[in-house]
């Protein structure tokens, strides 16, 4: 391969490298990935809120349970007193009155406890509704996340196929290009946003899109064929057309 041919081949390598860079960029910046990030953040927000509400709801459940236990106890006591009252074993009027008073007092206590229980149930109602709402919203977000994850995998797989093809083409394109020229290209490319070599079209460098002075262009065009020349503006390798 002549030096001039090597420079032309280097332009092909550059085109393939640019394609590969674009494919990698596309892979990193998939719209679906941003959307998935959004759903993940919303899910975390939702779960935090749900866990907060669930905590309050659990506290109410515990109070309900305590009240129910107490109601059962009071009811049992009242029943016992009632049985005693009608058992015929108590005949002393003072004791009968005391028993009746106890039953009345226990029944009053039972009603109080039942009222408290009702209040708790009323507090729980909107919480249960909110928890159901949050769970439904979470299902929607979960489903969307699954769809997005699948879409990302599909898009990535398609990009991988294209990328593998470009990488294979690049390997073929570098064939015959001297190692030191490739190394210089790689170094320039690394420091100059991925473009290490560019065509000189007329007076314009296609790498930086700046117009070179007529003197510089004249000097470059009079270099021997295949000589390594650099853009005076950006420093990239220039390949005169
Ligand atoms: Zn330039």
């Amino acid at each position: 391969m002549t030096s001039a041919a090597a420079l032309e081949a280097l332009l092909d390598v550059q085109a393939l490298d640019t394609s590969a860079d674009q494919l990698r960029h596309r892979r990193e910046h998939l719209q679906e990935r941003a959307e998935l990030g959004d759903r993940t953040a919303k899910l975390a927000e939702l779960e935090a809120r749900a866990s907060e509400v669930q905590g309050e709801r659990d506290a109410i459940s515990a109070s309900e349970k305590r009240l129910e236990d107490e109601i059962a106890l009071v009811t049992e006591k009242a029943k016992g007193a009632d049985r005693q009252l009608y058992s015929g074993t108590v005949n002393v009027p003072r004791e009968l009155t005391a028993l009746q008073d106890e039953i009345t007092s226990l029944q009053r206590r039972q009603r109080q406890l039942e009222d408290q229980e009702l209040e708790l149930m009323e507090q729980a109602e909107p919480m249960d509704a909110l928890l159901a709402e949050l769970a439904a919203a979470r299902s929607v977000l979960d489903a969307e996340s699954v769809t997005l994850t699948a879409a990302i995998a599909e898009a990535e797989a398609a990009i991988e196929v294209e990328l593998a093809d470009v990488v294979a083409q690049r390997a073929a394109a570098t064939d015959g290009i001297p190692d030191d020229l490739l190394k210089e290209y790689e170094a320039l490319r690394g420091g100059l946003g991925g473009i290490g070599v560019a065509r000189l079209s007329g007076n314009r460098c296609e790498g930086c899109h700046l117009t070179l002075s007529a003197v510089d262009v004249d000097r470059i065009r009079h270099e021997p064929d295949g000589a390594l020349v650099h853009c005076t503006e950006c420093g990239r390798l220039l390949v005169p057309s």
Side-chain angles (χ1 to χ4, degrees), residues 205-210 212 231-236 238:
C205 163
E206 294 295 340
C208 62
H209 304 293
L210 294 174
L212 278 63
C231 171
T232 48
E233 298 294 339
C234 68
R236 293 183 174 96
L238 269 184

Side-chain angles (χ1 to χ4, degrees), residues 2-3 26 56 58 94 102 126 141 143 149 183 205 213 233:
T2 63
S3 310
R26 209 198 313 157
E56 290 168 20
D58 289 348
R94 188 167 41 82
E102 193 192 345
L141 286 172
T149 303
K183 277 201 188 101
C205 163
S213 73
E233 298 294 339

Side-chain angles (χ1 to χ4, degrees), residues 8 13 29 45 50 56 63 76-77 89 92 100 119 124 149 151 159 163 174 177 179:
E8 287 297 331
V13 171
H29 297 87
E45 222 172 88
E56 290 168 20
S63 299
E76 204 43 57
K77 265 191 195 170
T89 55
V92 183
Q100 263 163 345
E119 238 171 74
T149 303
I159 290 171
L163 198 53
T174 55
I177 299 176
D179 274 353

Side-chain angles (χ1 to χ4, degrees), residues 4-237:
L7 282 170
E8 287 297 331
L10 200 57
L11 279 177
D12 292 341
V13 171
Q14 174 67 77
L16 290 164
D17 278 341
T18 300
S19 293
D21 286 347
Q22 285 165 348
L23 285 168
R24 290 189 190 100
H25 183 271
R26 209 198 313 157
R27 188 178 55 190
E28 295 315 307
H29 297 87
L30 288 172
Q31 174 65 24
E32 289 90 344
R33 207 189 301 283
E35 284 176 29
L36 181 62
D38 167 73
R39 299 305 188 283
T40 306
K42 278 188 181 146
L43 263 174
E45 222 172 88
L46 219 112
E47 270 161 21
R49 178 88 184 98
S51 126
E52 190 186 318
V53 177
Q54 189 62 58
E56 290 168 20
R57 181 64 182 90
D58 289 348
I60 288 181
S61 293
S63 299
E64 280 178 321
K65 175 79 179 67
R66 270 197 305 276
L67 277 175
E68 272 165 22
D69 289 348
E70 204 180 339
I71 288 167
L73 204 72
V74 169
T75 308
E76 204 43 57
K77 265 191 195 170
K79 270 188 199 160
D82 204 53
R83 271 196 302 273
Q84 211 182 343
L85 182 64
Y86 295 105
S87 64
T89 55
V90 182
N91 297 309
V92 183
R94 188 167 41 82
E95 286 178 9
L96 286 171
T97 307
L99 263 179
Q100 263 163 345
D101 286 350
E102 193 192 345
I103 290 167
T104 306
S105 155
L106 285 167
Q107 283 171 341
R108 193 186 314 121
R109 178 72 188 135
Q110 187 183 337
R111 277 195 301 276
Q112 282 173 349
L113 292 169
E114 280 168 353
D115 283 350
Q116 285 176 29
E117 195 187 18
L118 205 65
E119 238 171 74
L120 286 179
M121 284 160 85
E122 278 168 8
Q123 279 179 37
E125 220 170 87
M127 279 185 198
D128 288 341
L130 179 56
L131 283 169
E133 219 174 273
L134 291 170
R138 189 154 64 178
S139 297
V140 171
L141 286 172
D142 276 337
E144 285 175 352
S145 297
V146 167
T147 306
L148 286 167
T149 303
I152 289 168
E154 200 181 314
E156 278 180 342
I159 290 171
E160 284 307 326
V161 170
E162 278 187 70
L163 198 53
D165 182 45
V166 171
V167 167
Q169 285 184 56
R170 190 212 195 258
T174 55
D175 222 24
I177 299 176
D179 274 353
D180 50 352
L181 180 57
L182 265 179
K183 277 201 188 101
E184 184 178 356
Y185 157 75
E186 293 286 3
L188 286 169
R189 178 174 132 73
L192 291 166
I195 309 286
V197 64
R199 179 74 78 187
L200 176 65
S201 305
N203 287 3
R204 208 165 87 112
C205 163
E206 294 295 340
C208 62
H209 304 293
L210 294 174
T211 301
L212 278 63
S213 73
V215 174
D216 285 330
V217 172
D218 190 57
R219 177 180 55 76
I220 289 168
R221 292 210 182 273
H222 282 94
E223 290 277 356
D225 224 19
L228 290 190
V229 291
H230 295 85
C231 171
T232 48
E233 298 294 339
C234 68
R236 293 183 174 96
L237 280 165

